[in-house]
Amino acid sequence: MEATQKAVSLLETAQLRQTPQRIVILATLLAEHTHPSAEDLHLRISPQLPSISIGTVYRTLESLVEAGIVRKVRSESGTMFFDANIEPHHHLYDEHARRIADFEDARLHALIAEYLQKHPIPGFDVYDFQLHISGSFQPPVS
Amino acid sequence: MEATQKAVSLLETAQLRQTPQRIVILATLLAEHTHPSAEDLHLRISPQLPSISIGTVYRTLESLVEAGIVRKVRSESGTMFFDANIEPHHHLYDEHARRIADFEDARLHALIAEYLQKHPIPGFDVYDFQLHISGSFQPPVS
DNA sequence: CTAGCTGCAAAGCGTTTGCATCAAT
DNA sequence: ATTGATGCAAACGCTTTGCAGCTAG
């Protein structure tokens, strides 16, 4: 399915207003295979919708997160990155390129989930967990 | 050993100048069992050393991190928290109280490390990993 | 003596927000 | 028509930085 159509249908089921801004933001994010920041998205969208403001991008992303359509992940540097992949997955933090990539490994996820279930943490109620793996994509020339 | 003495000896072995500011900052952090922010530390230190500036706190903490004496962890909200416990450990993110607590579990750490070693990620060099467990300390009254 | 740390204040950066206007429903 | 979204710009919170003076070595 095309990204724009998918965006429209997701907004519809989430009962969110289908404004041009929201449709473009969500469609752009769905078409991405990376994890863009709000600013990244704003830059990418500006040519198609020059009047869109960065504030709207932030507010829209926040609504999408609340609706469960989008996930946000904070990077080491503090910037938020957005992710339309809401399947449980982990992240690889590239320390050199300063970007974040998805890391899906159902077995690893199950392994940790099982461990946490078998060994509950006293006084702490676990909602969710995420593995942050830091390293680099291309080993630095040493 | 007393915190101040430990701070002095850590600064010495790290070959960092033993200024009153650095000694107090490190000693305060060593005495903490929580993960204070730079501002927390500044507030806690001000009565003893009223002239100390927040900039110095940040610069000192950065030096200590570089020296491997201190770890920093970014919270969900974006604020940095500092931690004098440099043993490999994971963190519990309390979504309600917005604080971070240590979670040490050598078996879980070993389990994940072993898995990552046995199943290398193609094209990615792993330096380190951290499990972010989110939840709450006192289950909300529902 | 001198390399490097400190205090101060200003600037930086990503993000949020108040407000008047505008548009989806 | 009404509720909620938008653009704009100002403000925000945390962190970093330039600079002149100070201090540990």
Side-chain angles (χ1 to χ4, degrees), chain B residues 8-24:
Chain B
V8 170
S9 96
L10 280 168
L11 289 172
E12 191 171 5
T13 37
Q15 307 211 49
L16 291 172
R17 284 201 182 176
Q18 296 167 39
T19 66
Q21 292 87 343
R22 289 181 173 190
I23 295 168
V24 178

Side-chain angles (χ1 to χ4, degrees), chain A residues 20-31:
Chain A
Q21 292 87 342
R22 289 181 170 188
I23 295 167
V24 178
I25 291 168
L26 183 50
T28 306
L29 193 54
L30 286 166

Side-chain angles (χ1 to χ4, degrees), chain B residues 17-20 38-39 55 58-59 78-80:
Chain B
R17 284 201 182 176
Q18 296 167 39
T19 66
E39 224 171 314
Y58 277 106
R59 277 185 287 219
T79 307
M80 281 290 192

Side-chain angles (χ1 to χ4, degrees), chain B residues 1 4-6 8 18 26 28 30 32 40-41 43 47-48 52 56-57 73 76 91 113 124 131 135:
Chain B
M1 202 204 269
T4 302
Q5 282 172 35
K6 194 170 178 187
V8 170
Q18 296 167 39
L26 182 50
T28 306
L30 287 167
E32 285 294 330
D40 289 339
L41 283 168
L43 279 172
Q48 306 158 48
I52 197 170
T56 297
V57 176
V73 191
E76 219 68 6
H91 289 106
F124 192 84
L131 193 61

Side-chain angles (χ1 to χ4, degrees), chain B residues 3-132:
Chain B
T4 302
Q5 282 172 35
K6 194 170 178 187
V8 170
S9 96
L10 280 168
L11 289 172
E12 191 171 5
T13 37
Q15 307 211 49
L16 291 172
R17 284 201 182 176
Q18 296 167 39
T19 66
Q21 292 87 343
R22 289 181 173 190
I23 295 168
V24 178
I25 291 168
L26 182 50
T28 306
L29 193 53
L30 287 167
E32 285 294 330
H33 288 192
T34 66
H35 295 57
S37 66
E39 224 171 314
D40 289 339
L41 283 168
H42 185 234
L43 279 172
R44 223 152 299 174
I45 289 166
S46 286
Q48 306 158 48
L49 204 72
S51 66
I52 197 170
S53 77
I54 187 75
T56 297
V57 176
Y58 277 106
R59 277 185 287 219
T60 297
L61 289 167
E62 198 53 48
S63 306
L64 295 173
V65 168
E66 274 169 31
I69 296 172
V70 161
R71 244 194 186 197
K72 57 180 175 183
V73 191
R74 197 179 286 275
S75 76
E76 219 68 6
S77 76
T79 307
M80 281 290 192
F81 290 94
F82 296 86
D83 187 351
N85 175 1
I86 53 165
E87 295 301 303
H89 64 278
H90 302 285
H91 289 106
L92 303 176
Y93 288 75
D94 188 313
E95 295 196 348
H96 298 283
R98 290 195 165 191
R99 67 192 190 86
I100 297 179
D102 278 351
F103 173 56
E104 305 198 29
D105 190 323
R107 270 191 298 169
L108 177 57
H109 194 92
L111 190 72
I112 299 168
E114 196 190 331
Y115 185 94
L116 290 175
Q117 208 160 28
K118 280 191 187 163
H119 306 82
I121 304 163
F124 192 84
D125 215 28
V126 175
Y127 297 170
D128 194 16
F129 62 87
Q130 250 203 54
L131 193 61
H132 290 221

Side-chain angles (χ1 to χ4, degrees), chain A residues 62-114:
Chain A
E62 198 52 48
S63 305
L64 295 173
V65 168
E66 274 169 31
I69 297 171
V70 161
R71 245 194 187 199
K72 57 180 175 183
V73 191
R74 197 179 287 274
S75 76
E76 219 68 6
S77 76
T79 307
M80 280 291 192
F81 290 95
F82 296 87
D83 187 352
N85 176 0
I86 54 163
E87 294 302 303
H89 64 279
H90 302 284
H91 289 106
L92 302 176
Y93 288 76
D94 189 313
E95 295 196 348
H96 299 283
R98 289 192 164 191
R99 65 192 193 85
I100 296 178
D102 278 352
F103 173 57
E104 307 198 28
D105 190 323
R107 270 191 298 166
L108 178 56
H109 194 93
L111 190 72
I112 299 169
E114 197 190 330

